[in-house]
Amino acid sequence: MKLRVVGVMLLTILLTSTIGMAATDVLSVEQAYLRGNAKVFIFQPSPEGGVKLLKQGRLRGLVSLRTESKKWEVKQTTKNLHATPTPLVIYFTKDGKIGVKSFQPGKPLKLEGMFPLEKVVEPSVKPELKLPLTARLRYKVRSLLSTSSCPWGYEELNSRYCVLENWEYLKDSYYADSKTFTEWVPFMGLKVRTEGFKEIRTISVSWGLQLTTSTKSMWTLSVDGIPVVDFGDSYSGSTLKVSYAPEQEIETANGYIDRYLNLPLKYVIVFYNIPVYDKWKKEYASIPIAGTYPLEIMMSGYYSIGETDLNRGYTLTDHLVNSQFPTESLETKTKVIRTNYRGSYPNLVFEFQGSSGYTFYSTPIGGSGASWLWSKLPVVGKLSLTFSYSSVSQSATTYRVDIEQGAPNQLYYASILERSLELANSNNVEVAMYFTTIDDGQDSSPPCVGNFCPSSFDLRAER
């Protein structure tokens, strides 16, 4: 009899546990521990477009969310490398700062302020709010008791700023939206711009990518133009390996050449216009925030690309496919070199990321995504798509460029792109971008990088 009772109890526990797990799986409930005390908005882009408000308020401790993650997973049944966008936490601390971090299940999230509000707020029109009767009564009592100088629909953050109390008071989608894009995106690129007696006749390149499930999809964010990255999910799916290493030298067209290695990418762009109120200036304002998240690299397997594949499809092109060369608003390393008596310069650029300890690389968003974001939130600044992998992972990137036949004993300069971004839980990190411009410095008004103008042919020359 006792054994029967014990068996029934065990069966009941097992069934309850199974039902609980099934419910959690269906509802896609995720939990994380929030350390600190802040005014918090938690959003997640939806697969069908738009954003879902998951939770808001002054949150701390263990927080449970019913997320959109399961919906994303159902839509992404593919063998290609793919990831689900994590929820985004936008929060305000009492010392007048804002922070933006991703919500990762099971990991503690420290609500420390990242940027002072005065650095990221932009003047804005008064938002239209639909306040329920209870909220109106509450604000009426506050104004009679003079406990707050915040306008209706806002709550006090500190002596200067008020923040929107309830996101659901907002009437329209002007303040938040998302859209998913599928297009070819350049992962590596090269421009050579030479002519006359300094013409470069041939170059050689060796480019390669190997992306595995050890690759992580990053949130690349812009908080009023300040670039931030934070970790998302690891990829699921099959390995992708693409190499472009022509055996022969590549001839230029009278000293000019363009080459781009592109991959088909599905990614989501999300933006938020967070309403605040500045009591000192007595004006309404908002904080423009935008982010990108790579969802799927829409090819898998092994590909060896050669010059004969140029413009046979979109993987290797001599022109940018619906995008822009990432030059503006980015930091640039300028390398000034002198060719030898043969006119060659090996290893003009040579970078390898993988076990070397580098962990991030980035590429510009496609043209369709850039156009949509510009139409929605033009003040947010340029965005890129960022990937990460650990120093012991099997994912790797190599990018090499050599000058084979240029003018002998002449100066050239190469502009090598990189981004300096703030890692949400750490200090700034250097993020490589594999796009290089080689120039002869003969332009009548060449670009200067920082205080350095290579056209003067003096390595110490400054503006």
Side-chain angles (χ1 to χ4, degrees):
M1 183 67 180
K2 288 183 179 180
L3 289 174
R4 181 181 297 176
V5 172
V6 171
V8 171
M9 289 175 65
L10 288 172
L11 181 60
T12 303
I13 292 171
L14 180 61
L15 287 172
T16 303
S17 175
T18 304
I19 292 170
M21 289 173 63
T24 300
D25 189 54
V26 170
L27 297 177
S28 197
V29 175
E30 299 176 3
Q31 293 182 323
Y33 193 86
L34 272 56
R35 293 177 177 169
N37 188 8
K39 171 68 176 182
V40 177
F41 298 101
I42 305 180
F43 302 95
Q44 190 176 19
S46 298
E48 59 270 16
V51 295
K52 181 77 176 289
L53 174 68
L54 304 180
K55 191 153 286 192
Q56 63 180 328
R58 295 195 173 273
L59 307 178
R60 64 188 306 174
L62 187 64
V63 174
S64 298
L65 303 178
R66 185 176 296 179
T67 70
E68 298 284 285
S69 299
K70 186 56 63 178
K71 289 183 181 179
W72 281 104
E73 290 172 8
V74 169
K75 283 185 171 288
Q76 289 184 302
T77 53
T78 173
K79 67 177 182 178
N80 300 326
L81 290 170
H82 60 278
T84 299
T86 54
L88 274 177
V89 182
I90 301 172
Y91 59 91
F92 297 85
T93 56
K94 287 188 175 181
D95 58 355
K97 292 183 178 180
I98 185 174
V100 182
K101 296 178 181 178
S102 61
F103 185 97
Q104 295 182 311
K107 296 184 179 179
L109 182 62
K110 199 169 186 178
L111 302 178
E112 285 185 330
M114 296 172 63
F115 309 110
L117 290 183
E118 56 267 22
K119 286 186 62 176
V120 295
V121 296
E122 298 284 346
S124 177
V125 297
K126 179 181 178 181
E128 290 189 55
L129 302 180
K130 184 178 181 181
L131 299 178
L133 179 60
T134 53
R136 291 179 179 273
L137 291 173
R138 185 165 60 250
Y139 294 128
K140 189 68 174 177
V141 171
R142 285 182 188 173
S143 60
L144 291 173
L145 297 176
S146 299
T147 58
S148 175
S149 56
C150 295
W152 284 25
Y154 289 76
E155 65 176 282
E156 198 155 14
L157 178 66
N158 58 13
S159 61
R160 179 171 181 178
Y161 289 103
C162 308
V163 299
L164 186 72
E165 182 185 43
N166 190 323
W167 190 265
E168 294 170 337
Y169 291 167
L170 292 167
K171 280 188 174 182
D172 56 55
S173 63
Y174 165 75
Y175 294 95
D177 203 357
S178 80
K179 189 173 181 180
T180 299
F181 297 87
T182 301
E183 57 187 333
W184 288 85
V185 170
F187 271 62
M188 294 179 175
L190 169 70
K191 282 184 180 183
V192 177
R193 297 290 184 265
T194 61
E195 57 187 12
F197 74 97
K198 296 190 69 175
E199 174 187 317
I200 293 175
R201 293 179 293 281
T202 62
I203 63 168
S204 64
V205 300
S206 178
W207 301 349
L209 290 166
Q210 178 165 294
L211 305 178
T212 71
T213 52
S214 62
T215 308
K216 281 195 171 183
S217 190
M218 305 287 293
W219 272 112
T220 310
L221 304 163
S222 171
V223 183
D224 191 31
I226 302 174
V228 183
V229 289
D230 198 22
F231 292 97
D233 280 349
S234 294
Y235 278 99
S236 301
S238 302
T239 295
L240 170 66
K241 184 175 182 179
V242 181
S243 65
Y244 169 53
E247 293 182 1
Q248 304 296 324
E249 299 172 358
I250 306 171
E251 294 185 0
T252 67
N254 299 321
Y256 279 60
I257 193 171
D258 288 75
R259 287 293 182 273
Y260 301 96
L261 190 62
N262 312 289
L263 295 179
L265 194 67
K266 180 186 289 186
Y267 63 97
V268 65
I269 296 180
V270 61
F271 77 83
Y272 309 94
N273 222 358
I274 310 293
V276 298
Y277 182 78
D278 189 335
K279 293 187 287 183
W280 293 5
K281 294 184 176 181
K282 298 186 183 303
E283 68 179 19
Y284 289 90
S286 64
I287 304 170
I289 300 172
T292 62
Y293 194 96
L295 298 171
E296 180 184 348
I297 302 172
M298 303 185 70
M299 58 191 290
S300 60
Y302 296 81
Y303 302 85
S304 181
I305 308 298
E307 275 295 287
T308 55
D309 299 300
L310 183 64
N311 295 327
R312 293 183 177 180
Y314 295 111
T315 307
L316 180 67
T317 60
D318 59 6
H319 59 281
L320 281 162
V321 180
N322 195 29
S323 188
Q324 293 182 343
F325 198 87
T327 55
E328 298 178 15
S329 304
L330 295 173
E331 298 178 15
T332 306
K333 288 181 179 177
T334 300
K335 183 175 184 179
V336 182
I337 59 97
R338 184 185 296 276
T339 53
N340 62 19
Y341 69 97
R342 289 178 163 182
S344 64
Y345 194 95
N347 292 331
L348 175 65
V349 185
F350 178 71
E351 290 198 20
F352 175 83
Q353 291 200 30
S355 58
S356 60
Y358 287 84
T359 52
F360 305 97
Y361 61 98
S362 196
T363 189
I365 62 176
S368 300
S371 298
W372 180 81
L373 181 60
W374 180 257
S375 69
K376 293 287 187 177
L377 206 64
V379 299
V380 80
K382 292 192 180 245
L383 279 174
S384 60
L385 297 153
T386 306
F387 303 82
S388 174
Y389 42 78
S390 71
S391 59
V392 295
S393 74
Q394 293 180 345
S395 296
T397 307
T398 182
Y399 180 81
R400 177 177 176 174
V401 178
D402 306 319
I403 296 177
E404 296 293 344
Q405 292 183 359
N409 299 311
Q410 293 293 329
L411 290 175
Y412 295 89
Y413 70 90
S415 299
I416 306 165
L417 295 178
E418 65 178 29
R419 297 200 75 183
S420 181
L421 294 89
E422 180 152 332
L423 188 60
N425 290 300
S426 185
N427 298 321
N428 287 359
V429 293
E430 181 181 299
V431 180
M433 298 188 80
Y434 300 108
F435 296 85
T436 299
T437 300
I438 303 173
D439 204 306
D440 57 19
Q442 296 300 296
D443 195 309
S444 58
S445 56
C448 297
V449 181
N451 288 325
F452 178 68
C453 299
S455 64
S456 64
F457 304 112
D458 183 348
L459 301 186
R460 298 166 297 176
E462 292 185 347
R463 282 193 286 198

